[in-house]
Amino acid sequence: MRITLRVWRQPGPEAQGEFRTYEAPEVSEDMSFLELIDAVNEDLLEKGEEPIACDSDCREGICGMCGVMINGLPHGPSEGTATCQLHMRKFQDGDLIEVEPWRAAAFPVIRDLVVDRSAFDTIIESGGYVSVSTGSAPDANEILVPKSASDAAMDAAACIGCGACVAACPNSAAQLFTSAKLAHLNLLPQGQPERWDRVEIMVDTMEEFFGSCTNHGECEKACPKEITIDFIAMMNADYVKSKFKNRRRLGQKKAG
Amino acid sequence: MLTETRPSGDTSQKPVPPRRQREKSGIWLVDFYTSAVGKKWVMAITGIGLIGFVLSHMVGNLKVYAGAEDFDHYAEFLREMLVPIFPRTVFLWLVRGGLVMMFVFHIHSAISLARLNLQANASYATKRDYVAANFASRTMRWTGPIILLYLIFHLADLTWGVEPAATAVFERGEAYANLVASFERPVVAGIYIVANLALGFHLYHGTWSLFQSLGVNNPAYNTARRYLAGGVAAAIVIGNCSFPIAVLAGVVD
Amino acid sequence: MQLNSSVPPGPIADKWENHKFSLPLVNPNNKRKFDIIMVGSGLAGASAAATLAELGYNVKVFCYQDSPRRAHSISAQGGINAAKNYQNDGDSVFRLFYDTVKGGDYRSREANVHRLAEVSVDIIDQCAAQGVPFAREYGGLLDNRSFGGAQVSRTFYARGQTGQQLLLGAYQALCRQIAKGKVEMHTRTEMLDLVIEDGIARGIVTRDMLTGEIRSHSAHVVVLGTGGYSNTYYLSTNAMGCNNTGTWRAHRRGAFFANPCYTQIHPTCIPSSDEFQSKLTLMSESLRNDGRIWVPKQADDPRSPDLIPEAERDYYLERRYPAFGNLVPRDVASRNAKSMIDVEKGVGQRKNGVYLDFSDAIARDGVQLITEKYGNLLDMYERITGEDPYKVPMRIYPAPHYTMGGLWVDYNLMSNVPGLFVIGEANFSDHGANRLGASALMQGLADGYFVLPYTIGGWLSGLLNTKPLPVDHEAFRKTEAEVADRINGFLSCRGSRSADWFHRELGKILWNYCGMARTESGLEKALSEIPALRSEFEKNLRVLGTNEQLNQSLEKAGRVADSIDLAELMCQDALHRRESCGGHFREESQTEEGEAKRDDENFTYVAAWESQGPGHAAALHKEPLDFENVALTQRSYK
């Protein structure tokens, strides 16, 4: 089939960007979307034009490296699918496909379709872990985890950190990303000792970069792992509780 | 082409720096309110209060169908609420004070969150295709100010009696007559209807959304929340819009 | 040169304990005086970096991705083995050790494998405590499954995303250390060379992938956790960015490359659909627990699978291996699939697959149970192929997936270059000639959490009160200049073909002659075609743009150049090893039934290759392998 691509080209972080149009006359429907970009890039190289910069790595929907806006939808039209797993059979012969990088103030464009998502790492660094140094763990079966808690935690932990939630949000909020990590750890017994500190510091860090949630639910629909916004509600509830729990305890000289 | 291989100083990549830093307050309530999640909480809590007000206001006003005497009696009752615990009109003023506070916090948090979001956002050059966001959720920013303007108009019209919002025949205490006189003006009736439609949309998203902001939702009730939101919005729109229509239609005069 | 494996003396079960005691310690206050460079942030790299930082060392971590969380360990699906014996089915450290040595076709180092089995139990404890959401029983205890042909249930798993969850655990531990300032994280930074002075590894030279800045980093010790080299085949299950530059540059600087011909071809991948295919997708091997593999009995059968009656189907694995059936080890399953396609029994449009059929399992267990177990995998299959595996049998075909070979290391995981340690898939030591399912995650984390943090102390304790070589030292300047020259070479070539084109051509050569079955004549052909490809590459490569920007074609050019060299070494090693073992199948060396036949008398050794510089054949060094605890037998899965 024949596809016309309108792609955002921007040589560098400070440079002006613009759309350029490319024709792909022979697209197989078994191709993935990124393979289409590969093919266009081979073409460009032949013509002496610099290829489109576009992040991707595992190409099986788990590393979270890829992700672009395709026709105004993060990761394109397939639900629960990352850009690399989107196949051209979802499109029709003669389609025009518009491709744009994620847009958010906290995700500056590096080049073409590549953005900087380091703010996500900063959020995890602020508290998205269980403090357990290597070697100090008890026998794994000494920590009993109800199957339901484990399953729910796994649902949340499936997040691949691609940034589609932020890209989808009209407010560029990172609530879904942050709440998924919080829910993963806070639902498990292992996460309880640090639960309230974790939620407070991670929410505060998130708000240094991103917008606020207005409960549109766009993030949930864009998420390639179909993570639910119920986790955002859990984060909101935990955040207010943390303000009580983190107050100075009786006999404590200084609030931790 | 490479010209320089030895860099001067550390130019290695740095993570994106935070866009804003929040002063931590020692008073936890203040601290809570300065966070965006906290503001959403305040919006939700004040939202519940305001929904309660709007609902009871609408239900109370249904007395208009019982005639002038009942309606004026209801207006008088509001002034005499909790007498003799409080002197006459004192409790009403307390309620009014509470309502004003709720409006202030609701509006202040809305404005500051909107500003935060505007700063956090970078807009797309292509057309954004929304999947989950509905008309109501996306117009909160517009329905809010419409409701505020309408509220001021409504107070000027039927509480303070300030012309031109109020009619020339406005008379303090004559609630029923004031209302009928006001709604007999088709333009005013139109304003009321349009404003209440905006209110309906605002409440539709607000009622659904507040559970999320408060974090009291549960997957089992998520569908029911949609129905609840629809019910609240419909009750308000139908109830409130019925008054001007009834006046114009001559059912109430 | 004599290769000293430094395996400690004593009975195998005591070696590690004794060795840990005999290793010199670094005083806690002195640890902060040592700098460590860690290249790679996968399971091995992230876990090691986090653990070393917890101990007090200063660690610099480098990865080419935009976040350490994206390393390719994340794609591992099936699970992680551990000799916990939670299922009371007779598992033990010794049994895991035994299975791994046997599964590796007796080409691994016994002592390393035993240590791996010993620490496997600690890994599960550590990961569970980190909050890895392993599958649970209703009572809250950990669930296990049998995996990859094991006769016991020792595999721990987190749905079909075990690698992801274990990596996130390690990544989160790493993040904690980054926040504490003990780890300095360099993302989108690629190691382009190793710096050696006085025969000791002193640091690395990197390129900032956003600005093109070439920069030196110096430390007391350099650790490579850069993964395997399956991507040399172009079409593999590895990520697009997986590359051999780290290990190959180290090899060029003197580190020995061991057993490069040991590559694993995973039996259950989705067959390629067209010429544009950029990578192959793996479907977890766990599918073989319930799915049945078959081909039509009649060659070139044009019928759709549902029209082929039971009697005309050949369940060839069940027929040939009644005891193990569909669960034979990976190398056996892959070779058998190839043999079916070689006789024109392949299925699908391109006749390049075999059926993996769930209809019997669905009839037996119901759709719900199958969905619960494999739902995400079946969905993924449908997304990629557009076919519904609940109705139509899946088509699968083997694909390069894991490489057992890697840089040679001793028992301490140090290469023959002092000060250079190699962990995870990048080293060679634990899997012999074939890796068992669910053992890669185990090895990566064993090296990172529980082996390297001990053994690295043995090297560092000798360096107390020494400073790393300053980065303006001649050795760094020289290496930087060489790196810059290479980059300038790529940019100034101005030919007509993309790096990808060369990679694809290289992949075809390797897959045809150094893939699942290898012959002397084929390998010789490959060894004549690869140099031709290299000279074409040197003449006709086209890279546009400059160095001082994000330039993905430039990155690729460097990686492909190194892959071409490595491919040659793979073929050289495969040619020299005139026996079949594990993933290395030489057609000249097979039993009458067509099974792999080892030549223990002549080939029970590790082939460690020393680079003689570009254009010269590498020199072979042998580390003999002694088997004192496991008797060498011909593997049989009948």
Side-chain angles (χ1 to χ4, degrees):
Chain A
M1 52 190 187
R2 185 182 189 85
I3 296 286
T4 308
L5 280 171
R6 247 184 111 226
V7 184
W8 182 261
R9 300 302 306 266
Q10 181 176 336
E14 310 298 332
Q16 271 287 321
E18 57 167 7
F19 281 103
R20 295 233 193 102
T21 307
Y22 306 104
E23 295 291 331
E26 281 170 51
V27 179
S28 143
E29 62 170 27
D30 286 326
M31 264 174 144
S32 75
F33 182 79
L34 292 175
E35 283 161 5
L36 170 64
I37 301 270
D38 290 345
V40 169
N41 275 343
E42 289 261 324
D43 232 39
L44 287 177
L45 194 83
E46 221 160 273
K47 290 183 193 146
E49 197 179 329
E50 282 187 45
I52 304 161
C54 178
D55 264 336
S56 84
D57 205 19
C58 76
R59 297 214 176 177
E60 42 191 86
I62 193 79
C63 77
M65 187 98 170
C66 68
V68 288
M69 287 301 262
I70 300 168
N71 286 341
L73 289 166
H75 291 306
S78 295
E79 270 193 34
T81 303
T83 303
C84 60
Q85 299 262 282
L86 174 66
H87 281 69
M88 294 313 293
R89 66 179 73 89
K90 293 276 171 192
F91 296 93
Q92 308 278 317
D93 183 34
D95 273 2
L96 168 74
I97 304 178
E98 295 184 305
V99 191
E100 211 184 338
W102 291 162
R103 303 275 188 198
F107 284 176
V109 173
I110 292 170
R111 189 178 184 193
D112 297 342
L113 304 174
V114 178
V115 299
D116 185 343
R117 290 167 289 195
S118 54
F120 271 10
D121 291 314
T122 310
I123 293 176
I124 302 294
E125 283 159 24
S126 72
Y129 47 76
V130 174
S131 296
V132 48
S133 293
T134 305
S136 53
D139 184 274
N141 259 348
E142 275 175 29
I143 311 165
L144 293 181
V145 182
K147 189 174 187 308
S148 54
S150 173
D151 285 349
M154 182 64 224
D155 287 341
C159 170
I160 59 174
C162 63
C165 45
V166 173
C169 180
N171 311 320
S172 299
Q175 242 82 358
L176 194 64
F177 169 80
T178 312
S179 69
K181 185 45 65 196
L182 282 168
H184 161 210
L185 298 174
N186 290 353
L187 282 164
L188 294 172
Q190 298 93 309
Q192 295 315 306
E194 291 167 290
R195 176 174 186 168
W196 310 110
D197 289 328
R198 179 182 301 121
V199 67
E200 194 168 0
I201 186 90
M202 282 181 74
V203 167
D204 288 349
T205 308
M206 169 186 82
E207 290 182 358
E208 289 175 359
F209 294 92
F210 296 98
S212 130
C213 181
T214 42
N215 303 326
H216 292 293
E218 282 293 324
C219 51
E220 175 182 66
K221 291 286 178 208
C223 178
K225 295 292 148 188
E226 300 181 311
I227 292 170
T228 159
I229 55 171
D230 287 343
F231 293 130
I232 299 181
M234 181 179 159
M235 173 177 82
N236 291 339
D238 271 11
Y239 186 71
V240 71
K241 279 184 221 160
S242 77
K243 293 288 173 186
F244 290 94
K245 304 269 186 185
N246 292 346
R247 282 180 307 166
R248 197 186 298 181
R249 290 187 178 82
L250 206 63
Q252 201 177 347
K253 288 223 172 70
K254 200 167 160 266
Chain B
M1 208 73 20
L2 276 178
T3 46
E4 171 77 62
T5 58
R6 175 147 304 278
S8 53
D10 184 358
T11 55
S12 65
Q13 298 163 36
K14 296 276 186 297
V16 174
R19 289 182 314 97
R20 61 180 202 130
Q21 218 93 47
R22 185 160 67 85
E23 280 291 311
K24 274 274 193 187
S25 169
I27 305 161
W28 80 266
L29 255 175
V30 175
D31 189 55
F32 181 59
Y33 185 66
T34 51
S35 76
V37 171
K39 285 202 178 78
K40 286 299 285 186
W41 256 81
V42 170
M43 279 189 92
I45 296 282
T46 52
I48 292 173
L50 293 171
I51 290 168
F53 162 69
V54 170
L55 270 177
S56 52
H57 186 59
M58 185 274 288
V59 170
N61 284 355
L62 289 175
K63 295 263 179 319
V64 82
Y65 295 112
E69 200 176 317
D70 273 10
F71 189 71
D72 289 343
H73 179 254
Y74 165 64
E76 183 56 25
F77 154 79
L78 290 177
R79 293 181 196 103
E80 290 186 359
M81 241 187 313
L82 292 193
V83 173
I85 298 175
F86 292 102
R88 187 170 177 279
T89 73
V90 168
F91 186 72
L92 183 64
W93 277 109
L94 284 177
V95 172
R96 281 172 175 162
L99 278 172
V100 168
M101 288 302 288
M102 282 197 269
F103 271 114
V104 167
F105 276 109
H106 198 79
I107 293 164
H108 177 261
S109 50
I111 291 171
S112 55
L113 287 176
R115 277 182 50 203
L116 171 79
N117 292 341
L118 228 53
Q119 288 162 7
N121 203 1
S123 56
Y124 286 95
T126 48
K127 198 178 162 294
R128 203 34 202 99
D129 189 357
Y130 289 103
V131 187
N134 50 38
F135 180 78
S137 74
R138 283 166 51 208
T139 52
M140 292 300 272
R141 237 173 247 177
W142 306 113
T143 50
I146 290 172
I147 294 163
L148 179 63
L149 290 176
Y150 156 69
L151 175 71
I152 294 165
F153 174 84
H154 177 54
L155 288 171
D157 177 12
L158 294 176
T159 308
W160 306 325
V162 181
E163 278 183 82
T167 54
V169 298
F170 177 87
E171 209 166 313
R172 189 165 282 272
E174 296 294 328
Y176 186 87
N178 291 341
L179 180 138
V180 171
S182 180
F183 287 176
E184 273 173 345
R185 300 171 295 176
V187 177
V188 172
I191 289 174
Y192 272 89
I193 290 169
V194 170
N196 273 291
L197 283 172
L199 179 62
F201 281 116
H202 200 82
L203 290 186
Y204 177 69
H205 181 64
T207 308
W208 181 83
S209 166
L210 66 90
F211 291 90
Q212 188 73 17
S213 298
L214 295 176
V216 293
N217 66 344
N218 184 302
Y221 307 128
N222 281 352
T223 329
R225 277 164 58 206
R226 280 279 172 217
Y227 290 120
L228 176 70
V232 167
I236 294 297
V237 172
I238 293 168
N240 280 353
C241 288
S242 76
F243 305 129
I245 291 169
V247 170
L248 283 181
V251 179
V252 171
D253 61 9
Chain C
M1 182 185 163
Q2 190 60 42
L3 284 171
N4 180 9
S5 64
S6 311
V7 172
I12 193 141
D14 301 335
K15 280 182 196 289
W16 178 232
E17 277 306 314
N18 293 343
H19 187 61
K20 277 197 284 187
F21 185 71
S22 66
L23 277 168
L25 294 177
V26 179
N27 173 322
N29 293 327
N30 283 333
K31 288 199 172 94
R32 69 173 78 100
K33 295 176 185 162
F34 289 114
D35 297 338
I36 297 172
I37 284 174
M38 172 71 61
V39 186
S41 66
L43 278 182
S47 60
T51 306
L52 292 167
E54 284 161 10
L55 289 171
Y57 298 110
N58 308 310
V59 189
K60 275 187 180 182
V61 181
F62 298 83
C63 71
Y64 72 81
Q65 298 92 343
D66 71 334
S67 161
R69 68 180 290 151
R70 310 206 195 280
H72 194 59
S73 309
I74 205 158
S75 298
Q77 297 167 351
I80 176 167
N81 285 333
K84 281 282 197 189
N85 194 29
Y86 281 159
Q87 305 305 322
N88 196 29
D89 56 0
D91 198 11
S92 64
V93 166
F94 194 83
R95 188 177 295 281
L96 176 54
F97 157 71
Y98 177 89
D99 287 354
T100 308
V101 171
K102 180 186 171 204
D105 220 357
Y106 308 97
R107 291 293 176 265
S108 47
R109 202 188 275 148
E110 268 193 344
N112 285 52
V113 178
H114 198 276
R115 174 176 65 189
L116 177 67
E118 284 172 59
V119 302
S120 69
V121 294
D122 300 330
I123 296 170
I124 301 303
D125 297 345
Q126 181 63 26
C127 296
Q130 284 172 345
V132 170
F134 284 124
R136 300 274 165 175
E137 306 271 12
Y138 281 100
L141 297 167
L142 287 156
D143 190 20
N144 292 108
R145 61 184 173 199
S146 148
F147 195 81
Q151 305 281 57
V152 290
S153 291
R154 63 160 76 101
T155 303
F156 295 78
Y157 63 102
R159 292 210 188 127
Q161 291 128 280
T162 318
Q164 181 199 23
Q165 293 311 315
L166 294 174
L167 182 67
L168 291 181
Y171 158 73
Q172 287 163 204
L174 180 65
C175 281
R176 180 171 155 238
Q177 298 306 317
I178 295 173
K180 282 186 175 170
K182 289 304 291 180
V183 170
E184 190 182 299
M185 188 69 221
H186 297 259
T187 58
R188 290 197 198 264
T189 307
E190 192 166 25
M191 164 190 169
L192 291 185
D193 220 330
L194 178 72
V195 179
I196 296 200
E197 171 67 12
D198 281 343
I200 295 172
R202 306 291 187 168
I204 60 172
V205 173
T206 61
R207 175 176 179 271
D208 182 319
M209 291 158 72
L210 299 187
T211 63
E213 184 194 355
I214 308 291
R215 198 158 170 242
S216 288
H217 300 269
S218 157
H220 291 93
V221 57
V222 176
V223 186
L224 299 184
T226 52
Y229 49 91
S230 295
N231 228 0
T232 317
Y233 286 94
Y234 184 70
L235 278 183
S236 78
T237 66
N238 279 17
M240 303 306 287
C242 288
N243 66 81
N244 317 318
T245 294
T247 44
W248 189 255
R249 289 288 120 203
H251 173 64
R252 276 271 187 258
R253 297 283 174 196
F256 293 176
F257 211 113
N259 302 332
C261 77
Y262 291 165
T263 58
Q264 184 170 74
I265 315 285
H266 194 287
T268 53
C269 302
I270 301 175
S272 68
S273 56
D274 56 41
E275 277 295 307
F276 303 103
Q277 189 106 14
S278 57
K279 77 154 278 172
L280 297 171
T281 304
L282 180 136
M283 309 286 294
S284 167
E285 187 166 28
S286 62
L287 291 169
R288 287 200 279 147
N289 285 347
D290 283 303
R292 296 180 71 196
I293 294 173
W294 63 277
V295 291
K297 276 188 178 158
Q298 181 196 329
D300 259 333
D301 196 326
R303 289 174 292 178
S304 83
D306 52 317
L307 295 177
I308 301 177
E310 199 65 28
E312 290 170 43
R313 298 176 175 190
D314 181 7
Y315 295 90
Y316 58 91
L317 287 178
E318 296 171 23
R319 173 169 58 81
R320 288 184 181 171
Y321 310 95
F324 279 69
N326 292 303
L327 293 173
V328 289
R330 291 176 175 177
D331 52 337
V332 180
S334 294
R335 243 183 342 263
N336 275 284
K338 180 185 189 308
S339 71
M340 289 298 138
I341 288 171
D342 286 348
V343 295
E344 311 285 316
K345 288 183 180 174
V347 298
Q349 202 122 66
R350 304 182 85 199
K351 301 278 170 211
N352 61 349
V354 298
Y355 287 127
L356 174 63
D357 197 339
F358 266 80
S359 52
D360 287 349
I362 289 173
R364 182 184 68 231
D365 298 337
V367 173
Q368 201 192 339
L369 192 73
I370 295 299
T371 309
E372 206 172 282
K373 273 180 164 166
Y374 309 109
N376 59 335
L377 296 168
L378 301 183
D379 290 350
M380 183 167 81
Y381 180 86
E382 187 175 2
R383 262 202 297 279
I384 292 171
T385 62
E387 290 171 10
D388 180 0
Y390 290 97
K391 301 201 176 90
V392 191
M394 287 191 271
R395 289 172 294 112
I396 54 163
Y397 194 58
H401 161 65
Y402 187 88
T403 50
M404 285 71 68
L407 291 182
W408 183 88
V409 289
D410 65 7
Y411 188 71
N412 292 316
L413 302 182
M414 187 159 84
S415 71
N416 59 303
V417 175
L420 176 70
F421 286 73
V422 189
I423 57 176
E425 192 181 346
N427 74 24
F428 87 102
S429 66
D430 294 359
H431 303 299
N434 176 50
R435 180 176 65 74
L436 290 179
S439 284
L441 302 181
M442 172 171 69
Q443 186 226 338
L445 290 179
D447 288 359
Y449 282 134
F450 295 109
V451 179
L452 183 75
Y454 288 94
T455 58
I456 208 167
W459 166 254
L460 291 173
S461 61
L463 299 178
L464 202 58
N465 297 324
T466 64
K467 288 241 178 299
L469 207 60
V471 287
D472 51 9
H473 185 276
E474 184 54 32
F476 281 105
R477 282 179 181 270
K478 198 164 152 276
T479 313
E480 282 174 17
E482 285 169 18
V483 166
D485 279 351
R486 265 166 64 84
I487 291 174
N488 281 335
F490 299 137
L491 287 167
S492 57
C493 188
R494 299 180 193 280
S496 62
R497 293 202 188 277
S498 69
D500 269 335
W501 184 87
F502 290 99
H503 197 179
R504 266 198 298 273
E505 291 305 305
L506 179 69
K508 283 180 204 158
I509 297 172
L510 265 191
W511 181 245
N512 288 336
Y513 304 120
C514 197
M516 272 184 286
R518 298 146 184 195
T519 62
E520 178 138 1
S521 59
L523 289 163
E524 272 163 0
K525 194 145 188 279
L527 282 170
S528 70
E529 286 181 11
I530 295 172
L533 187 70
R534 181 188 298 116
S535 58
E536 172 77 4
F537 179 85
E538 283 161 359
K539 281 201 298 271
N540 210 2
L541 172 74
R542 172 180 281 193
V543 177
L544 297 175
T546 65
N547 174 61
E548 285 76 22
Q549 61 177 166
L550 174 63
N551 189 337
Q552 292 172 329
S553 346
L554 178 62
E555 294 160 16
K556 230 172 263 171
R559 295 168 187 172
V560 172
D562 290 333
S563 289
I564 293 175
D565 291 351
L566 173 59
E568 201 173 10
L569 186 64
M570 287 164 71
C571 293
Q572 192 186 339
D573 186 42
L575 183 64
H576 117 278
R577 190 169 281 278
R578 290 166 204 278
E579 63 157 352
S580 296
C581 59
H584 172 64
F585 187 75
R586 281 287 295 263
E587 287 186 7
E588 299 90 342
S589 177
Q590 49 182 312
T591 64
E592 279 167 17
E593 295 133 323
E595 299 299 330
K597 196 168 122 203
R598 288 197 323 270
D599 178 357
D600 290 334
E601 201 163 317
N602 295 307
F603 288 99
T604 312
Y605 62 80
V606 176
W609 299 90
E610 181 185 7
S611 172
Q612 303 292 313
H616 300 278
L620 176 66
H621 300 272
K622 296 177 181 176
E623 181 203 333
L625 292 169
D626 299 318
F627 291 90
E628 292 165 359
N629 300 280
V630 183
L632 273 71
T633 54
Q634 202 67 34
R635 284 193 308 169
S636 169
Y637 293 95
K638 295 273 173 191

